[in-house]
Amino acid sequence: MEICQLSGHFFSGIPLQFNHRLRKSARTPKFLTYANGVSCYQTEKTGQDSQNRMFILGMGFVGQFFAKELRNEGWIVSGTCTSMKKRNELQERGLDVLLFDANQPEMGTMNTLKSYTHLLVSIPPIMGIGDPMLQHGELLRSTMIDGNLQWLCYMSSTSVYGDCGGACVDEDFLASPTNEMAKLRLVAEQGWLNLAHDVGIKAQVFRLGGIYGPGRSAVDTIIKQGPLSESQKRRVAKQFTSRVHVADICQALKASIRIQLSRRIYNIVDDDPASRKEVFAYALDLVEKKWPSLVKEITSHERAEPFVQKTTLKGEKRVSNAHMKNELAVQLLYPSYKSGLQSIIDQIENPF
Protein backbone atom coordinates (compact mmCIF):
# COMPACT_ATOMS: atom_id res chain seq x y z
CA MET A 1 0.00 0.00 0.00
CA GLU A 2 1.25 3.50 -0.76
CA ILE A 3 2.78 5.30 2.23
CA CYS A 4 0.91 8.52 2.80
CA GLN A 5 0.88 11.37 5.29
CA LEU A 6 -2.46 11.84 6.99
CA SER A 7 -3.81 14.87 8.77
CA GLY A 8 -6.87 13.30 10.29
CA HIS A 9 -9.38 14.11 13.00
CA PHE A 10 -10.91 11.93 15.66
CA PHE A 11 -14.59 11.17 15.40
CA SER A 12 -16.52 12.27 18.42
CA GLY A 13 -19.83 10.46 18.36
CA ILE A 14 -22.82 11.04 20.57
CA PRO A 15 -22.55 8.36 23.24
CA LEU A 16 -25.45 6.15 24.16
CA GLN A 17 -26.51 6.70 27.74
CA PHE A 18 -26.36 3.81 30.19
CA ASN A 19 -26.86 3.55 33.92
CA HIS A 20 -23.40 3.75 35.50
CA ARG A 21 -24.41 2.84 39.05
CA LEU A 22 -23.70 -0.87 38.62
CA ARG A 23 -20.55 -0.64 36.55
CA LYS A 24 -18.26 -3.54 37.35
CA SER A 25 -14.57 -2.91 37.68
CA ALA A 26 -12.50 -4.02 34.74
CA ARG A 27 -10.76 -7.35 35.21
CA THR A 28 -7.11 -7.09 36.09
CA PRO A 29 -5.16 -8.79 33.32
CA LYS A 30 -2.00 -10.78 33.76
CA PHE A 31 0.52 -9.51 31.24
CA LEU A 32 3.00 -11.67 29.39
CA THR A 33 5.87 -10.30 27.35
CA TYR A 34 7.19 -12.37 24.50
CA ALA A 35 10.62 -12.23 22.95
CA ASN A 36 9.45 -9.87 20.24
CA GLY A 37 8.28 -7.36 22.84
CA VAL A 38 4.57 -7.88 22.22
CA SER A 39 2.56 -7.67 25.43
CA CYS A 40 -0.30 -10.09 25.79
CA TYR A 41 -2.74 -10.71 28.59
CA GLN A 42 -4.33 -13.62 30.35
CA THR A 43 -7.20 -13.47 32.81
CA GLU A 44 -6.72 -15.42 36.01
CA LYS A 45 -9.05 -18.43 35.79
CA THR A 46 -9.01 -21.96 37.07
CA GLY A 47 -10.80 -25.21 36.42
CA GLN A 48 -13.74 -25.22 34.05
CA ASP A 49 -13.70 -21.44 33.62
CA SER A 50 -10.24 -21.60 32.02
CA GLN A 51 -11.65 -22.54 28.60
CA ASN A 52 -12.29 -19.70 26.17
CA ARG A 53 -15.84 -19.39 24.91
CA MET A 54 -16.78 -17.30 21.87
CA PHE A 55 -20.35 -16.16 21.19
CA ILE A 56 -20.99 -14.80 17.69
CA LEU A 57 -24.03 -12.58 17.25
CA GLY A 58 -24.78 -13.07 13.57
CA MET A 59 -23.24 -16.28 12.19
CA GLY A 60 -22.66 -14.98 8.67
CA PHE A 61 -19.77 -15.55 6.28
CA VAL A 62 -17.06 -14.24 8.61
CA GLY A 63 -18.65 -15.73 11.72
CA GLN A 64 -18.78 -19.22 10.22
CA PHE A 65 -15.16 -19.08 9.06
CA PHE A 66 -14.01 -17.72 12.44
CA ALA A 67 -16.03 -20.31 14.37
CA LYS A 68 -14.37 -23.18 12.52
CA GLU A 69 -10.88 -21.78 13.17
CA LEU A 70 -11.55 -21.31 16.88
CA ARG A 71 -13.09 -24.77 17.28
CA ASN A 72 -9.95 -26.24 15.72
CA GLU A 73 -7.98 -24.45 18.43
CA GLY A 74 -10.10 -25.89 21.24
CA TRP A 75 -12.53 -23.03 21.83
CA ILE A 76 -16.19 -23.51 22.67
CA VAL A 77 -18.09 -21.52 20.01
CA SER A 78 -21.78 -20.73 19.61
CA GLY A 79 -23.60 -18.21 17.46
CA THR A 80 -26.95 -16.97 16.23
CA CYS A 81 -28.94 -16.80 13.02
CA THR A 82 -32.46 -15.69 12.17
CA SER A 83 -33.97 -18.60 10.22
CA MET A 84 -34.60 -22.26 10.97
CA LYS A 85 -33.35 -23.22 7.49
CA LYS A 86 -29.97 -21.59 8.04
CA ARG A 87 -29.75 -22.96 11.55
CA ASN A 88 -30.26 -26.50 10.27
CA GLU A 89 -27.67 -25.99 7.53
CA LEU A 90 -25.08 -24.69 9.99
CA GLN A 91 -25.77 -27.41 12.52
CA GLU A 92 -25.30 -30.04 9.82
CA ARG A 93 -21.84 -28.53 9.34
CA GLY A 94 -21.09 -29.00 13.03
CA LEU A 95 -21.74 -25.45 14.28
CA ASP A 96 -23.70 -24.70 17.46
CA VAL A 97 -26.31 -22.13 16.41
CA LEU A 98 -29.29 -20.57 18.19
CA LEU A 99 -32.30 -18.92 16.56
CA PHE A 100 -32.29 -15.28 17.61
CA ASP A 101 -34.18 -12.10 16.74
CA ALA A 102 -32.07 -9.10 17.71
CA ASN A 103 -35.16 -6.88 17.65
CA GLN A 104 -36.75 -9.00 20.36
CA PRO A 105 -33.92 -10.78 22.21
CA GLU A 106 -35.07 -13.76 24.23
CA MET A 107 -33.94 -14.02 27.84
CA GLY A 108 -32.84 -17.61 27.30
CA THR A 109 -30.25 -16.55 24.72
CA MET A 110 -29.18 -13.55 26.78
CA ASN A 111 -28.66 -15.79 29.80
CA THR A 112 -26.64 -18.20 27.64
CA LEU A 113 -24.39 -15.29 26.67
CA LYS A 114 -23.41 -14.82 30.33
CA SER A 115 -21.30 -17.97 30.29
CA TYR A 116 -19.15 -16.80 27.35
CA THR A 117 -15.82 -15.02 27.64
CA HIS A 118 -15.72 -13.38 24.20
CA LEU A 119 -18.38 -11.72 22.03
CA LEU A 120 -18.19 -10.98 18.30
CA VAL A 121 -20.98 -8.71 17.06
CA SER A 122 -21.68 -9.19 13.36
CA ILE A 123 -25.28 -7.98 13.07
CA PRO A 124 -25.76 -5.08 10.62
CA PRO A 125 -27.90 -2.05 11.42
CA ILE A 126 -31.51 -1.95 10.27
CA MET A 127 -32.80 1.01 8.27
CA GLY A 128 -35.01 3.21 10.40
CA ILE A 129 -33.93 1.44 13.59
CA GLY A 130 -30.16 1.34 13.81
CA ASP A 131 -28.34 -1.41 15.65
CA PRO A 132 -31.10 -3.79 16.79
CA MET A 133 -29.21 -4.99 19.87
CA LEU A 134 -28.40 -1.51 21.16
CA GLN A 135 -32.14 -0.83 21.37
CA HIS A 136 -31.96 -3.04 24.45
CA GLY A 137 -29.05 -1.25 26.08
CA GLU A 138 -30.00 -1.92 29.70
CA LEU A 139 -30.65 -5.61 29.01
CA LEU A 140 -27.28 -5.91 27.29
CA ARG A 141 -25.59 -4.06 30.10
CA SER A 142 -27.05 -6.24 32.83
CA THR A 143 -26.10 -9.37 30.87
CA MET A 144 -22.51 -8.19 30.61
CA ILE A 145 -22.36 -7.11 34.24
CA ASP A 146 -23.52 -10.53 35.42
CA GLY A 147 -21.49 -12.54 32.90
CA ASN A 148 -17.91 -13.53 32.20
CA LEU A 149 -17.16 -11.41 29.13
CA GLN A 150 -13.57 -10.20 28.76
CA TRP A 151 -13.49 -9.12 25.10
CA LEU A 152 -15.90 -7.66 22.54
CA CYS A 153 -15.46 -6.81 18.88
CA TYR A 154 -17.99 -5.01 16.67
CA MET A 155 -17.70 -5.66 12.94
CA SER A 156 -18.16 -2.41 11.03
CA SER A 157 -17.21 -1.24 7.55
CA THR A 158 -14.85 1.18 5.83
CA SER A 159 -18.00 2.70 4.31
CA VAL A 160 -18.15 4.97 7.38
CA TYR A 161 -15.41 7.13 5.82
CA GLY A 162 -17.65 8.11 2.93
CA ASP A 163 -16.33 9.49 -0.36
CA CYS A 164 -12.87 10.91 0.30
CA GLY A 165 -12.00 11.78 -3.29
CA GLY A 166 -9.40 9.03 -3.56
CA ALA A 167 -7.52 10.15 -0.44
CA CYS A 168 -5.60 7.76 1.78
CA VAL A 169 -7.45 7.44 5.11
CA ASP A 170 -6.56 5.89 8.43
CA GLU A 171 -8.54 5.35 11.63
CA ASP A 172 -8.02 8.95 12.78
CA PHE A 173 -9.47 10.41 9.60
CA LEU A 174 -12.80 12.14 10.14
CA ALA A 175 -15.55 9.62 9.34
CA SER A 176 -18.14 11.25 7.10
CA PRO A 177 -20.54 8.57 5.80
CA THR A 178 -22.63 9.48 2.78
CA ASN A 179 -25.35 6.82 2.90
CA GLU A 180 -27.82 5.97 5.62
CA MET A 181 -26.53 2.48 6.36
CA ALA A 182 -22.98 3.76 6.85
CA LYS A 183 -24.29 6.49 9.16
CA LEU A 184 -26.06 3.85 11.25
CA ARG A 185 -22.87 1.79 11.40
CA LEU A 186 -20.93 4.78 12.72
CA VAL A 187 -23.49 5.32 15.47
CA ALA A 188 -23.41 1.60 16.29
CA GLU A 189 -19.61 1.67 16.58
CA GLN A 190 -19.78 4.32 19.25
CA GLY A 191 -22.67 2.60 21.01
CA TRP A 192 -20.83 -0.71 21.39
CA LEU A 193 -17.59 0.97 22.46
CA ASN A 194 -19.44 3.01 25.08
CA LEU A 195 -21.31 -0.02 26.36
CA ALA A 196 -18.12 -2.07 26.69
CA HIS A 197 -16.34 0.78 28.45
CA ASP A 198 -19.28 1.22 30.78
CA VAL A 199 -19.07 -2.37 32.01
CA GLY A 200 -15.27 -2.66 31.98
CA ILE A 201 -14.78 -4.94 28.97
CA LYS A 202 -11.96 -4.73 26.43
CA ALA A 203 -13.50 -3.78 23.07
CA GLN A 204 -12.53 -3.01 19.50
CA VAL A 205 -14.26 -1.96 16.32
CA PHE A 206 -13.03 -3.52 13.09
CA ARG A 207 -13.76 -1.52 9.95
CA LEU A 208 -13.70 -4.16 7.25
CA GLY A 209 -13.11 -3.68 3.57
CA GLY A 210 -15.06 -5.68 0.99
CA ILE A 211 -15.09 -9.24 2.34
CA TYR A 212 -14.28 -12.14 0.06
CA GLY A 213 -13.16 -15.73 0.40
CA PRO A 214 -13.95 -19.28 -0.74
CA GLY A 215 -17.49 -19.36 -2.12
CA ARG A 216 -17.77 -15.58 -2.10
CA SER A 217 -15.48 -13.97 -4.65
CA ALA A 218 -15.25 -12.66 -8.20
CA VAL A 219 -14.16 -16.16 -9.29
CA ASP A 220 -17.30 -17.69 -7.77
CA THR A 221 -19.56 -15.06 -9.35
CA ILE A 222 -18.11 -15.71 -12.81
CA ILE A 223 -18.36 -19.49 -12.47
CA LYS A 224 -21.94 -19.31 -11.27
CA GLN A 225 -22.73 -16.60 -13.84
CA GLY A 226 -24.89 -15.00 -11.21
CA PRO A 227 -26.16 -11.42 -11.27
CA LEU A 228 -24.60 -8.71 -9.13
CA SER A 229 -26.28 -7.87 -5.84
CA GLU A 230 -27.42 -4.27 -5.31
CA SER A 231 -24.41 -3.54 -3.07
CA GLN A 232 -22.08 -5.00 -5.70
CA LYS A 233 -23.65 -2.80 -8.39
CA ARG A 234 -23.05 0.27 -6.24
CA ARG A 235 -19.37 -0.66 -5.89
CA VAL A 236 -18.86 -0.99 -9.65
CA ALA A 237 -18.41 2.77 -10.07
CA LYS A 238 -15.68 3.05 -7.45
CA GLN A 239 -12.11 3.56 -8.55
CA PHE A 240 -10.72 2.27 -5.26
CA THR A 241 -12.37 -0.53 -3.31
CA SER A 242 -10.47 -1.90 -0.34
CA ARG A 243 -10.90 -5.62 0.19
CA VAL A 244 -9.89 -8.24 2.70
CA HIS A 245 -9.82 -12.03 2.62
CA VAL A 246 -11.86 -13.69 5.36
CA ALA A 247 -8.77 -15.59 6.57
CA ASP A 248 -7.01 -12.28 7.23
CA ILE A 249 -10.02 -10.97 9.15
CA CYS A 250 -9.73 -14.02 11.39
CA GLN A 251 -6.02 -13.37 11.83
CA ALA A 252 -6.77 -9.85 13.04
CA LEU A 253 -9.55 -11.01 15.37
CA LYS A 254 -7.29 -13.55 17.06
CA ALA A 255 -4.51 -10.97 17.37
CA SER A 256 -6.86 -8.51 19.07
CA ILE A 257 -7.73 -11.18 21.65
CA ARG A 258 -4.06 -11.87 22.43
CA ILE A 259 -2.59 -8.38 22.43
CA GLN A 260 -3.20 -5.45 24.77
CA LEU A 261 -4.15 -2.75 22.26
CA SER A 262 -3.63 0.99 22.40
CA ARG A 263 -6.56 1.99 20.20
CA ARG A 264 -10.19 1.01 19.81
CA ILE A 265 -10.72 1.15 16.04
CA TYR A 266 -8.81 -0.71 13.33
CA ASN A 267 -9.08 -0.81 9.55
CA ILE A 268 -8.93 -4.40 8.34
CA VAL A 269 -8.03 -4.30 4.64
CA ASP A 270 -5.37 -5.67 2.31
CA ASP A 271 -2.58 -3.73 0.58
CA ASP A 272 -4.16 -3.40 -2.84
CA PRO A 273 -7.28 -1.24 -3.27
CA ALA A 274 -8.53 -1.70 -6.83
CA SER A 275 -11.57 -1.15 -9.01
CA ARG A 276 -14.15 -3.87 -9.44
CA LYS A 277 -13.42 -3.89 -13.17
CA GLU A 278 -9.78 -4.71 -12.53
CA VAL A 279 -10.64 -7.49 -10.05
CA PHE A 280 -13.18 -9.17 -12.33
CA ALA A 281 -10.84 -8.97 -15.31
CA TYR A 282 -8.18 -10.77 -13.30
CA ALA A 283 -10.69 -13.35 -12.01
CA LEU A 284 -11.92 -14.00 -15.54
CA ASP A 285 -8.37 -14.58 -16.71
CA LEU A 286 -7.86 -17.15 -13.94
CA VAL A 287 -11.08 -18.95 -14.85
CA GLU A 288 -10.24 -19.02 -18.56
CA LYS A 289 -6.77 -20.42 -17.92
CA LYS A 290 -8.04 -23.21 -15.66
CA TRP A 291 -11.23 -24.09 -17.57
CA PRO A 292 -10.95 -22.81 -21.17
CA SER A 293 -14.13 -24.62 -22.21
CA LEU A 294 -16.16 -22.72 -19.61
CA VAL A 295 -15.85 -19.44 -21.49
CA LYS A 296 -14.31 -20.40 -24.83
CA GLU A 297 -17.30 -19.25 -26.89
CA ILE A 298 -16.92 -15.60 -25.92
CA THR A 299 -14.10 -13.12 -25.58
CA SER A 300 -12.80 -11.81 -22.28
CA HIS A 301 -14.32 -8.41 -22.91
CA GLU A 302 -17.74 -9.84 -23.65
CA ARG A 303 -17.59 -12.18 -20.69
CA ALA A 304 -16.71 -9.39 -18.28
CA GLU A 305 -19.45 -7.07 -19.54
CA PRO A 306 -22.29 -8.40 -17.33
CA PHE A 307 -20.18 -7.75 -14.25
CA VAL A 308 -18.65 -4.41 -15.12
CA GLN A 309 -21.08 -1.73 -16.15
CA LYS A 310 -20.03 1.14 -18.38
CA THR A 311 -19.83 4.06 -16.02
CA THR A 312 -17.59 6.94 -15.12
CA LEU A 313 -15.23 5.92 -12.34
CA LYS A 314 -15.72 7.85 -9.15
CA GLY A 315 -12.93 8.84 -6.76
CA GLU A 316 -13.42 7.08 -3.44
CA LYS A 317 -10.74 6.29 -0.87
CA ARG A 318 -7.68 4.19 -0.23
CA VAL A 319 -7.79 2.74 3.26
CA SER A 320 -4.59 2.42 5.29
CA ASN A 321 -3.91 -0.82 7.17
CA ALA A 322 -0.74 0.42 8.91
CA HIS A 323 -2.16 0.18 12.43
CA MET A 324 -3.41 -3.36 11.78
CA LYS A 325 0.09 -4.38 10.74
CA ASN A 326 2.05 -2.46 13.36
CA GLU A 327 -0.15 -2.92 16.43
CA LEU A 328 -1.90 -6.22 15.71
CA ALA A 329 1.26 -7.62 14.09
CA VAL A 330 -0.84 -9.07 11.26
CA GLN A 331 1.15 -10.42 8.33
CA LEU A 332 -1.42 -10.71 5.56
CA LEU A 333 -1.89 -14.14 4.07
CA TYR A 334 -3.40 -12.45 1.01
CA PRO A 335 -1.95 -8.92 0.64
CA SER A 336 -3.63 -8.50 -2.76
CA TYR A 337 -6.84 -9.65 -4.41
CA LYS A 338 -4.57 -11.45 -6.88
CA SER A 339 -3.09 -13.85 -4.32
CA GLY A 340 -6.50 -14.22 -2.70
CA LEU A 341 -8.30 -15.13 -5.92
CA GLN A 342 -5.49 -17.47 -6.94
CA SER A 343 -5.87 -19.33 -3.66
CA ILE A 344 -9.63 -19.60 -4.13
CA ILE A 345 -9.46 -20.98 -7.67
CA ASP A 346 -6.74 -23.43 -6.63
CA GLN A 347 -9.21 -24.95 -4.15
CA ILE A 348 -11.95 -25.48 -6.75
CA GLU A 349 -11.68 -28.87 -8.42
CA ASN A 350 -14.83 -28.79 -10.53
CA PRO A 351 -16.71 -25.57 -11.36
CA PHE A 352 -19.84 -27.40 -12.52
Side-chain angles (χ1 to χ4, degrees), residues 72-325:
N72 290 339
E73 296 176 9
W75 286 61
I76 292 173
V77 184
S78 298
T80 68
C81 68
T82 57
S83 75
M84 182 64 73
K85 179 181 178 183
K86 184 173 182 180
R87 180 195 178 195
N88 292 339
E89 291 174 354
L90 295 179
Q91 286 184 331
E92 287 177 1
R93 289 154 56 184
L95 298 174
D96 180 28
V97 185
L98 304 173
L99 277 178
F100 185 70
D101 182 354
N103 286 300
Q104 298 178 317
E106 295 180 358
M107 286 307 301
T109 303
M110 299 304 291
N111 287 332
T112 298
L113 178 57
K114 292 180 182 179
S115 66
Y116 285 77
T117 56
H118 297 71
L119 175 63
L120 178 64
V121 182
S122 186
I123 297 177
I126 297 174
M127 295 295 289
I129 295 177
D131 188 289
M133 288 299 295
L134 291 177
Q135 294 181 93
H136 313 283
E138 286 300 329
L139 175 59
L140 267 175
R141 186 177 181 280
S142 64
T143 298
M144 293 179 178
I145 287 285
D146 296 337
N148 296 304
L149 281 180
Q150 307 163 23
W151 174 94
L152 181 155
C153 182
Y154 175 71
M155 306 283 268
S156 185
S157 167
T158 57
S159 64
V160 299
Y161 293 113
D163 185 352
C164 304
C168 187
V169 302
D170 73 356
E171 294 85 344
D172 300 332
F173 195 89
L174 177 64
S176 184
T178 53
N179 65 67
E180 194 60 32
M181 183 61 74
K183 292 176 182 178
L184 294 176
R185 282 197 182 276
L186 191 60
V187 173
E189 288 183 3
Q190 197 67 27
W192 282 103
L193 288 173
N194 289 344
L195 175 59
H197 177 267
D198 185 56
V199 299
I201 294 173
K202 173 187 175 185
Q204 276 82 44
V205 165
F206 276 9
R207 291 175 175 169
L208 307 179
I211 304 165
Y212 75 101
R216 175 174 163 169
S217 71
V219 166
D220 294 281
T221 301
I222 290 172
I223 291 174
K224 296 172 184 176
Q225 300 186 32
L228 296 182
S229 67
E230 289 304 312
S231 61
Q232 288 173 327
K233 290 177 181 177
R234 287 194 296 270
R235 291 196 295 270
V236 166
K238 295 182 180 180
Q239 183 175 4
F240 301 109
T241 296
S242 294
R243 294 170 182 80
V244 61
H245 193 286
V246 64
D248 285 320
I249 297 173
C250 293
Q251 267 206 95
L253 285 169
K254 286 187 280 189
S256 76
I257 293 172
R258 295 191 308 267
I259 301 171
Q260 187 71 11
L261 302 174
S262 61
R263 64 175 53 245
R264 302 190 300 171
I265 298 175
Y266 288 88
N267 295 330
I268 309 298
V269 297
D270 66 19
D271 295 336
D272 192 9
S275 69
R276 186 172 183 82
K277 180 177 181 180
E278 180 181 338
V279 172
F280 267 90
Y282 185 79
L284 178 62
D285 185 59
L286 291 178
V287 172
E288 287 182 320
K289 286 179 179 178
K290 187 165 185 177
W291 302 291
S293 61
L294 188 63
V295 288
K296 66 180 182 180
E297 70 279 3
I298 48 180
T299 66
S300 296
H301 174 76
E302 291 169 337
R303 182 66 186 88
E305 193 67 27
F307 305 101
V308 183
Q309 299 174 356
K310 293 179 179 179
T311 182
T312 302
L313 293 178
K314 176 183 178 183
E316 248 283 324
K317 56 185 171 286
R318 293 165 293 157
V319 181
S320 170
N321 60 14
H323 290 302
M324 177 193 75
K325 290 183 173 181

